Amino acid sequence: MPKKRVLIVDDEPEVRKIISSILQSPKGGYEVKEAGDVESALEILRKEPFDHVLCDIYMEPLDGLDFLRMVKEKGIKVNVVMMSGKADVEQALEAIGYGAQDYVHKPITAGQLFFVLKRIEEQERLRAENERLRREVEERYSFHNMVGKSSKMQVVFDVIRKIADYKTTVLITGESGTGKELVAKALHYNGIRKNAPFVAVNCGGIPENLLESELFGHAKGAFTDAIRAKKGLFEEADGGTLFLDEIGDLPLPLQVKLLRVLQEEEIRPVGDTRTVKVDVRIVAATSKDLEREVRKGNFRNDLFYRINVLRISLPPLRERREDIPLLVDFFIQRFNSRLGTKIKGVSPDAMQILMDYPWPGNVRELENVLERTMVLCEGDVIQKEDLPPYMLENLVVEDNIQKLDIDDSVLSIKKCSRVLEKKLIQRALQRTRGNKTQAAKLLEISLPALIYKMKDYGLYKTQPF
Ligand SMILES: Nc1ncnc2c1ncn2[C@@H]1O[C@H](COP(=O)(O)OP(=O)(O)OP(=O)(O)O)[C@@H](O)[C@H]1O
Ligand SMILES: [Mg+2]
């Protein structure tokens, strides 16, 4: 370890000599320089770096407070410790207000001096350590606008890094709001194609008759409105990435055409006789269960095999709850800067609710909840009461379970849980207006399990939705 360096600024040579020898003694181990006035001290600081300055307060023509002010003005990074006699304790305190780290009394003893300097060094060490940790969290747990410390997300980040450079088609699957589009962008912007375009198209969002010319372009006069030729998205994305979002919604006739394009790497614009070579990496995403769509005949088997070469499955948020605090922090910072709010964080019981909630809308729902809460929140820390009321109902259920009025003679868990289960299912169905998929998520059971139970409890056909 290199020696720490101290500059002593005092107009009395005797004082400088004493302090110097204390600091240089084996116990101190400091490297020392001396200056007899403020101006020469500043001159020395301009040339060499120091860890600490020990500065007398009363000096002529410029005093210790002048020195402090000039150090700040010049932006010199050094710890300043004032040395005060009996008469100038007040000024020493004032100096701390101006940014001095501490002060020591004259006559100065070795013990006092080392105590003060070591304490400053320890604080500095802690600050550097915190900074290092914070940076590490940022680097290790965040990846291209995505954060996640869960092992499931760490695996996703690793896979993205590994496959970003290849042209191989990637299929991203995951429930709505799990971050599929972010992953698609991360794949593009981490790979060698990052300087070419990233073009996204929602296969379910464009009418079938327009989608073909959107994707492949059209020739002049190809149809009534085709006044001039138009490039398709495949050509727009040439050299880059085409993100086919909601590929499960691609109409069957276009599935055939897409398959041909993927195999031949060339497109034929609508109404055109020529074909155009394109170099495009395809990243597709879906929140549907494509295997099931294939079985149902809604998605072509051959296209499925062609795009399902590399697969990234994004886990729902409720299966990686350890990411929630990190995401909450991430969104609070983002919204503070976007909305100008000054939210510092979330109270422990509010965080508990965020951790327990099943998040059927995944990260997007968490993001929306935080935005709404931050706008409406009165204080600078989000409290339980600030959260949307429907999130608190989980708690109410727990309270109700505590209060559940069950006859003392009943001990059968089986019978009681049936009553409770039926109630919860009815409530979930009401909350989701009869949407069984969402209700199953809220109940944290599978959809087939919900349907089975609904039949069992006579809720399947009789429910009023
Ligand atoms: N790991 C993450 N870290 C930070 N933000 C995330 C993360 N995952 C998702 N988000 C944010 O959540 C929102 C939803 O993400 P995205 O649009 O990528 O999801 P999606 O899976 O494509 O959803 P959908 O199926 O509804 O289109 C976006 O605002 C995104 O920025
Ligand atoms: Mg999406």
Side-chain angles (χ1 to χ4, degrees):
M1 277 259 284
K3 287 184 172 179
K4 297 251 181 215
R5 291 163 52 82
V6 185
L7 176 65
I8 304 167
V9 190
D10 199 311
D11 51 358
E12 286 174 59
E14 264 310 296
V15 175
R16 294 205 298 268
K17 214 173 115 192
I18 296 169
I19 299 175
S20 213
S21 64
I22 295 176
L23 289 174
Q24 284 171 312
S25 70
K27 184 148 182 250
Y30 287 94
E31 200 175 309
V32 176
K33 274 222 163 154
E34 299 176 21
D37 58 63
V38 167
E39 270 153 337
S40 48
L42 287 168
E43 186 58 24
I44 295 174
L45 280 173
R46 201 171 61 77
K47 289 189 198 134
E48 332 166 24
F50 285 85
D51 297 288
H52 311 284
V53 178
L54 279 170
C55 183
D56 194 18
I57 289 187
Y58 185 74
M59 289 181 289
E60 298 253 77
L62 298 173
D63 66 13
L65 290 179
D66 293 322
F67 173 75
L68 198 57
R69 188 170 43 75
M70 289 159 100
V71 164
K72 294 288 152 210
E73 269 173 21
K74 292 180 193 297
I76 300 170
K77 285 211 166 55
V78 70
N79 301 312
V80 181
V81 174
M82 308 309 288
M83 300 186 286
S84 73
K86 274 211 183 74
D88 37 25
V89 173
E90 292 257 314
Q91 278 98 318
L93 288 173
E94 195 182 336
I96 290 192
Y98 286 134
Q101 299 296 312
D102 210 338
Y103 68 94
V104 285
H105 290 296
K106 288 182 183 172
I108 287 162
T109 64
Q112 191 192 8
L113 195 53
F114 291 150
F115 179 77
V116 166
L117 293 183
K118 296 292 175 213
R119 192 174 56 194
I120 295 172
E121 285 159 19
E122 177 62 12
Q123 282 168 356
E124 241 172 19
R125 197 189 58 77
L126 282 176
R127 203 169 331 126
E129 173 78 5
N130 279 339
E131 174 66 15
R132 192 185 61 75
L133 281 175
R134 203 180 52 79
R135 250 207 315 270
E136 199 181 85
V137 166
E138 247 167 39
E139 279 164 17
R140 281 190 30 212
Y141 297 147
S142 81
F143 186 73
H144 265 257
N145 298 323
M146 269 180 285
V147 294
K149 64 184 290 196
S150 60
S151 52
K152 289 183 175 171
M153 286 311 285
Q154 291 291 311
V155 169
V156 168
F157 298 163
D158 279 349
V159 171
I160 295 175
R161 278 191 205 100
K162 269 191 207 127
I163 67 179
D165 275 341
Y166 299 99
K167 200 179 163 184
T168 315
T169 304
V170 181
L171 177 63
I172 308 167
T173 55
E175 287 178 13
S176 168
T178 44
K180 296 186 291 297
E181 182 151 0
L182 278 185
V183 169
K185 286 185 179 152
L187 277 167
H188 177 75
Y189 289 105
N190 273 285
I192 43 175
R193 296 173 169 257
K194 61 168 173 267
N195 294 320
F198 173 87
V199 177
V201 54
N202 185 339
C203 301
I206 300 174
E208 185 174 341
N209 55 339
L210 294 184
L211 190 56
E212 183 177 1
S213 78
E214 262 310 293
L215 286 175
F216 309 124
H218 59 71
K220 187 177 165 185
F223 42 87
T224 333
D225 294 337
I227 307 163
R228 56 177 75 91
K230 185 177 163 287
K231 263 193 192 174
L233 297 174
F234 264 91
E235 272 182 272
E236 300 275 353
D238 202 15
T241 304
L242 181 62
F243 176 44
L244 299 172
D245 204 359
E246 302 303 347
I247 191 147
D249 294 340
L250 194 70
L252 276 165
L254 278 176
Q255 291 180 20
V256 185
K257 293 189 172 152
L258 178 63
L259 180 64
R260 215 200 57 227
V261 170
L262 293 182
Q263 277 162 351
E264 285 156 30
E265 304 210 315
E266 56 182 31
I267 52 158
R268 185 193 300 276
V270 178
D272 212 331
T273 46
R274 80 204 155 101
T275 54
V276 184
K277 276 267 165 225
V278 281
D279 164 32
V280 173
R281 189 211 195 147
I282 300 292
V283 175
T286 181
S287 48
K288 286 189 175 166
D289 178 349
L290 271 195
E291 277 96 342
R292 210 174 69 200
E293 296 300 306
V294 169
R295 281 197 301 275
K296 288 194 332 201
N298 296 333
F299 203 84
R300 290 183 63 103
N301 208 9
D302 44 10
L303 180 59
F304 175 68
Y305 284 119
R306 185 62 190 72
I307 58 172
N308 188 31
V309 185
L310 289 170
R311 174 107 158 220
I312 297 180
S313 310
L314 287 173
L317 188 54
R318 63 185 169 281
E319 285 175 16
R320 45 176 164 120
R321 293 186 191 271
E322 62 269 45
D323 288 344
I324 293 175
L326 208 67
L327 283 162
V328 167
D329 208 52
F330 176 80
F331 289 129
I332 287 181
Q333 285 180 29
R334 175 185 282 180
F335 288 128
N336 273 340
S337 69
R338 276 200 201 154
L339 305 170
T341 45
K342 293 197 170 60
I343 303 293
K344 292 207 187 90
V346 175
S347 76
D349 53 354
M351 183 57 91
Q352 196 55 53
I353 291 172
L354 295 173
M355 292 290 282
D356 291 343
Y357 182 70
W359 299 112
N362 294 295
V363 184
R364 176 175 297 112
E365 186 182 6
L366 174 63
E367 186 178 4
N368 292 341
V369 162
L370 281 171
E371 179 168 11
R372 176 205 125 109
T373 308
M374 286 172 70
V375 170
L376 298 175
C377 179
E378 303 272 345
D380 57 3
V381 173
I382 294 173
Q383 305 292 335
K384 193 169 97 182
E385 298 71 31
D386 296 323
L387 296 172
Y390 66 84
M391 293 189 65
L392 305 179
E393 280 168 27
N394 260 351
L395 290 186
V396 177
V397 171
E398 257 162 55
D399 276 357
N400 284 345
I401 294 171
Q402 299 277 331
K403 283 186 265 166
L404 210 60
D405 192 19
I406 299 173
D407 190 297
D408 264 1
S409 64
V410 178
L411 279 173
S412 161
I413 292 181
K414 218 172 178 176
K415 283 182 188 141
C416 282
S417 13
R418 280 181 64 84
V419 176
L420 186 63
E421 209 170 67
K422 184 171 173 185
K423 269 197 173 148
L424 296 177
I425 290 173
Q426 281 171 316
R427 181 177 293 171
L429 287 165
Q430 250 160 21
R431 177 101 33 90
T432 60
R433 292 191 172 62
N435 182 328
K436 292 192 265 310
T437 311
Q438 278 186 15
K441 273 183 206 165
L442 292 178
L443 291 161
E444 300 189 73
I445 58 176
S446 70
L447 180 61
L450 173 61
I451 291 171
Y452 176 83
K453 284 177 195 292
M454 283 171 72
K455 286 182 180 155
D456 192 21
Y457 293 127
L459 295 169
Y460 197 61
K461 285 208 182 79
T462 57
Q463 45 147 346
F465 310 107

